[in-house]
Amino acid sequence: MSDVALESAVARPAVTDRAKALAGIALLDRIFFQVTRAAAVIVLVILGGVILSLVLGSLPALQAFGPGFLISQSWNPVTEKFGALPAIYGTLVTSGVAMLIAVPVGLGIATFLTELCPHRLRRPIGIAIELLAGIPSIIYGIWGLFVFAPFVQTYVQPGLISLFSDVPVLSSLFAGPPYGIGMLTAGFILAIMVLPFIASISRDVFETVPPVLKEAAAGIGCTTWEMMRYVVIPYTRVGVIGGVMLALGRALGETMAVTFVIGNAHKVSPSLLAPGTTISATIANEFTEAVGDVYTSSLIALGLILFLLTFVVLAIARYMLMRLERKAA
Amino acid sequence: MISRIFTRAAIAATAFAAMTGAALALDISGAGATFPYPIYAKWAETYKKETGNGLNYQSIGSGGGIKQIKARTVTFGASDQPLKAEDLQAANLIQWPQVIGGIVPVVNLDGVAPGELVLDGPTLAKIFLGEITSWDDAAIKKLNAKAKLSATPIVVVHRSDGSGTTFNFTNYLSKVSDDWKTKVGENSAVEWPAGIGAKGNEGVANNVSNTKGAIGYVEYAYAKQNKLTYTKMINAAGKVVAPGLESFQSAAASADWAKSPGFYQIITNEPGAKSWPISAATFILLPKDSKDEAAAAEALKFFGWAFANGGKAAEELDYIPMPKTVVELIKKSWGEVKGADGKALAAH
């Protein structure tokens, strides 16, 4: 009897301690779960808040202009008639030019660095590319305006105009007086700005290709080009497309650098040499002086369009990746 | 551990608040027009040396200045575009012109020196409308019989950002050209019929100096400092005038400030044989019912000090101080800024 009593008297505190400790651990775990979940939910809340305020803010403009807002070329603060077409057009064209230049060059850099480059050069070139990504966009803008645009005006544009003056479609693409600034220059600057994203992400994913695959390719007599084309790129395409989409996202939304070199004209012009504008450049230029509800609201509506544009681009990218994966499987 | 970090953070936060609070107590804040920024910064520097009180001025553009002062987030707002008397009334603000400057057309033409080319309002309007497209156009040749003008195409350069400079420039063009008035109108941003847009005075200056055949408009100080080829203008009196302190002063003096409620005066195309036609005043906006009376009183002290002592510094930076008679009128209007006790805050 006494033994039992004694035993239970000793054991009871130990049991409660253990239970307490377990409960404590369970509590910590629950708190950890809640904290991480809250962090994840915050993203949704912020995103929802941004969408909501963009929609609410652009209501007056959408009510005033209706769907015509998307296809109108007018941008007149005096009469308060606004349309988004020139800005959408400029955003797509400059980003398109940037990707046309940056994707091949970026993939070229990554291929050179991982396959062909002598070892002593790898680090300096790699660091240089990362430094390129670290330069603030305003610096690109100033450099573009003071150094690059005059260069393009003197040496590039006159050449392009005379070279293509007799070619049917290209002659209207490269037409008009050489201003130096314009959509082509903006595209060039954007290409330089997004190049590091494509180059360094592609390099990183190229390095994940198992050496045995490359050795096998070499073993059956592939050239370096064939190895890249048929082994490395198919193996890493998801990562490469991810890098390209990140770059495209930046190109679509880039503001300051573009504002400096695009010429800021609210016109849709077939010529790449003509001045144009982009959504973010318009907002940055005019937000401080936009008085009146419709004017401010039109700028916010532009912001909403950019948001949707980026969303659509990302959605298309996801869809493409999904199809690729399904094909591969 | 966690509680200790919290206590430390709390102590640091309080200390920081106390520090910034102490620093803010004497400072006044302003926001608005970019055009007078250099002179406000210069005045603030000297004023700080003399009194120890600082001024924090953000040059975010005239429209931004108007918005900020209406929201009462700053002590004063600054704008190159004056508010109409009824708008002032509605927002419970007073307004006065602080300093005057001039806007000049600048060109880039081979063999044409600064001040050599002469333009008049209607021709300038036609150029910016895109109707005159070559420098050897008859309208330009008629005004410049001696100049050698070739068939260079005209490249129009205008501001891309909203700007008080643009407001005054388009206001002038609307006054001299009915076509401009009906097709484009006046505002801090307009739908430009021709040309390329550049950001800020420096952007316009740069694009004009880079492009052969270009014409743009900038603040006189920018034209002078960047050694741009400015033009002369034919003014409302039909006389050829060069931009400069004398011609800006003449435009300011011929405006009838006394008869304009809230000092609402846009001094483009003023009469007077010597008046520069595209002169512009830049304005200060101050609430009549300031939330922070100490800051409002300090702001009035600062601008009073600037009227009394800032003239020389202004002229060095190519601005014109307000004429003495106008300063008297302005100081009288300051009586409307009252504290909670109903007494005027101005010290005079």
Side-chain angles (χ1 to χ4, degrees), chain B residues 87-170:
Chain B
D87 295 334
L88 286 173
Q89 195 70 36
N92 208 19
L93 297 167
I94 68 162
Q95 159 183 281
W96 70 87
Q98 184 66 32
V99 70
I100 285 164
I103 296 158
V104 296
V106 288
V107 298
N108 179 349
L109 282 171
D110 283 333
V112 174
E116 204 181 309
L117 200 72
V118 178
L119 292 173
D120 63 3
T123 310
L124 194 62
K126 277 196 185 125
I127 290 173
F128 274 83
L129 278 168
E131 287 169 10
I132 296 180
T133 55
S134 174
W135 282 108
D136 62 351
D137 191 278
I140 303 175
K141 275 191 163 169
K142 211 174 91 186
L143 297 166
N144 300 277
K146 281 182 201 156
K148 278 181 287 171
L149 293 163
S150 60
T152 321
I154 296 179
V155 177
V156 169
V157 183
H158 54 75
R159 288 284 289 271
S160 61
D161 45 343
S163 159
T165 311
T166 298
F167 168 75
N168 282 296
F169 186 71
T170 52

Side-chain angles (χ1 to χ4, degrees), chain A residues 279-314:
Chain A
I279 291 175
S280 44
T282 303
I283 297 174
N285 265 322
E286 304 187 21
F287 211 86
T288 50
E289 296 280 339
V291 279
D293 290 343
V294 179
Y295 194 174
T296 316
S297 170
S298 299
L299 290 173
I300 297 174
L302 280 185
L304 180 66
I305 291 171
L306 182 59
F307 190 93
L308 296 176
L309 211 61
T310 317
F311 182 81
V312 167
V313 165
L314 285 178

Side-chain angles (χ1 to χ4, degrees), chain A residues 75-76 146 263 275 285 288-290, chain B residues 60-64 67 162 191 197 206:
Chain A
W75 191 267
N76 192 335
F146 288 112
N285 265 322
T288 50
E289 296 280 339
Chain B
I60 56 171
S62 297
K67 266 190 215 158
E191 183 166 31
N206 189 263

